[in-house]
Amino acid sequence: MKLYNTLTRTKDEFKPRFENKVSMYTCGPTVYHYAHIGNLRSYIMEDVLEKYFRYVGYDVTRVMNITDVGHLSSDGDTGDDKMLKGAKREHKTVMEIAKFYTDAFFADCAKLNIKTPEVVEPATSCIDEFIRVISSLIEKGYAYEAGGNIYFDTSKLDKYYVFNDFTEEDLAVGVREGVEEDSNKKNKADFVLWFTKSKFDDQELKWDSPWGVGYPGWHIECSCISMKNLGEYLDIHCGGIDNAFPHHTNEIAQSEAYLGHEWCNYWFHVHHLNTTGGKMSKSKGEFLTVSLLEEKGYNPLVYRFFCLQSHYRKSLVFSYENLDNAAVAYNKLAAKVATLFDNSAVDKAAFVSLKAGFTEAMDNDLNTALAVTAVYDVLKADTTNATKLALIEDFDKVLGIGLVDAAKKLAESNSGAGDDIPEEITKLIEERKEARKAKNFALADEIRDKIAEMGYVITETREGTKVTKK
Ligand code: AMP
Ligand code: ZN
């Protein structure tokens, strides 16, 4: 499997350090507000990557942090703390905000078929770990105290700009854009590991430390949470492309300074989802969330499908017109899949050869757009319906767009369409479905009998529940 690695700037053969075990780290959300669908594009593509690793047989352990402290308005350690801003906006405590938006994030993920990582760790539960690593960095001469804060000294490294794209000049541009320079820093690129002083509002959450009462910087969180849970070698680190600098660059600097050796082999970055007006934002324009899409009548899995139709290393423009096109394509696919339910048998040879089209696409730097084409190829192929269905179910372990479920629902709603089923009966069928879901089979049987008394017969088929007049 080849994956583009931001560190080497090439498509590299992916090889985990220990045989078939993959350690994977993902920068989690800053839980001061709902995630926008741009944030979720990153999590969808990372989910596809994780699922593909599993699909090809790797044993994956994935860790994600929850940033509930230390992420300032600017990624370069300046501005208000995002969490504090959220708390003020909603007249709540920081921890209330963190709890609410962490739950909201995972609810959105569930709707998008994004699996929850094995380990999810909020930054506020790892303060001792941060203090331990920062103390060691000071001891080793990689960090210094100035004006009450602890900074990482980037001049101590042979190479700080590991991703190459960024230079001191880029940083200077940042400064010119109105961000006041922190005069405590020895070098422009130095960053804060521990704050005890900020010229902005005082922090709500603070902890005792050898350097005074304060709170951690954002970058140290990810290094420590990764090392704590995945050890001193990491196979792959993921995030949105905006995180490459300064966040991931700083993570590498401090992790390798602390460990004394190379840390992470592969860096996977998802490019941005933009609006037609430019960068997606939580404060400007329409705040695009999964709930908003649902309110407008979109199935969240259509958004997942929309993301999969483009390569993760290309920026993607969101518009309702584009999403509508994805919805039309998705529904057509579901309708085609709905015609596949029959009693045919799987043709093993055809299965293997059609599966190759899918894995070839995915092995080439996770080309999900071509993997979606492989779904169309299956539907067009000259083989049995059972083979097609089995392949679509198989691909969905990775794609997660739920085509078979959507097809079943479609078949169910179509069943009995010509029979003119009275509303009363349809209602009872719904009630029976709920009863079965809740495993209340006695009630389900009672409802079936009632339906029979009213002159209708229910039969369970592969396509779902069918109702016919007696
Ligand atoms: P945050 O909650 O701001 O820490 O961001 C969560 C994740 O979303 C990070 O991996 C970001 O790099 C990523 N991200 C932010 N904006 C976008 C966007 N417009 N498109 C895709 N990913 C994004
Ligand atoms: Zn991170």
Side-chain angles (χ1 to χ4, degrees), residues 27-30 32 36 38-43 46 71 82 218 239-243 270-274 279-280 282:
C27 288
T30 307
Y32 70 112
H36 60 51
N39 302 128
L40 291 161
R41 179 193 189 196
S42 286
Y43 295 112
E46 291 165 7
H71 194 173
K82 289 189 181 188
W218 171 41
I241 189 67
D242 60 313
N243 280 169
V270 181
H271 286 242
H272 274 180
L273 179 79
N274 297 316
K279 194 173 181 290
M280 186 157 294
K282 295 184 189 188

Side-chain angles (χ1 to χ4, degrees), residues 25 27-28 65 218 222 237 243 247-248 251:
Y25 185 85
C27 288
N65 68 306
W218 171 41
C222 287
H237 194 308
N243 280 169
H247 184 50
H248 293 162
E251 276 188 50

Side-chain angles (χ1 to χ4, degrees), residues 158-202:
D158 294 338
K159 193 168 183 234
Y160 167 67
Y161 297 101
V162 282
F163 295 126
N164 292 325
D165 296 89
F166 303 96
T167 62
E168 294 259 348
E169 261 173 49
D170 291 315
L171 279 176
V173 172
V175 172
R176 270 206 302 281
E177 276 171 357
V179 179
E180 220 178 292
E181 224 180 308
D182 181 346
S183 55
N184 290 325
K185 292 184 183 183
K186 287 189 193 162
N187 314 287
K188 256 187 201 144
D190 292 356
F191 54 92
V192 181
L193 298 167
W194 187 268
F195 288 96
T196 66
K197 292 209 168 56
S198 160
K199 50 184 173 304
F200 294 91
D201 253 357
D202 204 13

Side-chain angles (χ1 to χ4, degrees), residues 193-263:
L193 298 167
W194 187 268
F195 288 96
T196 66
K197 292 209 168 56
S198 160
K199 50 184 173 304
F200 294 91
D201 253 357
D202 204 13
Q203 190 73 10
E204 196 178 298
L205 296 176
K206 285 190 283 195
W207 295 264
D208 208 5
S209 83
W211 322 288
V213 175
Y215 58 99
W218 171 41
H219 315 296
I220 195 72
E221 294 177 9
C222 287
S223 289
C224 291
I225 292 174
S226 171
M227 291 190 282
K228 177 182 166 200
N229 294 290
L230 295 166
E232 55 182 85
Y233 293 101
L234 178 63
D235 288 312
I236 187 159
H237 194 308
C238 313
I241 189 67
D242 60 313
N243 280 169
F245 182 83
H247 184 50
H248 293 162
T249 305
N250 292 350
E251 276 188 50
I252 294 171
Q254 64 206 359
S255 300
E256 297 192 350
Y258 169 75
L259 293 166
H261 59 68
E262 283 185 3
W263 172 49

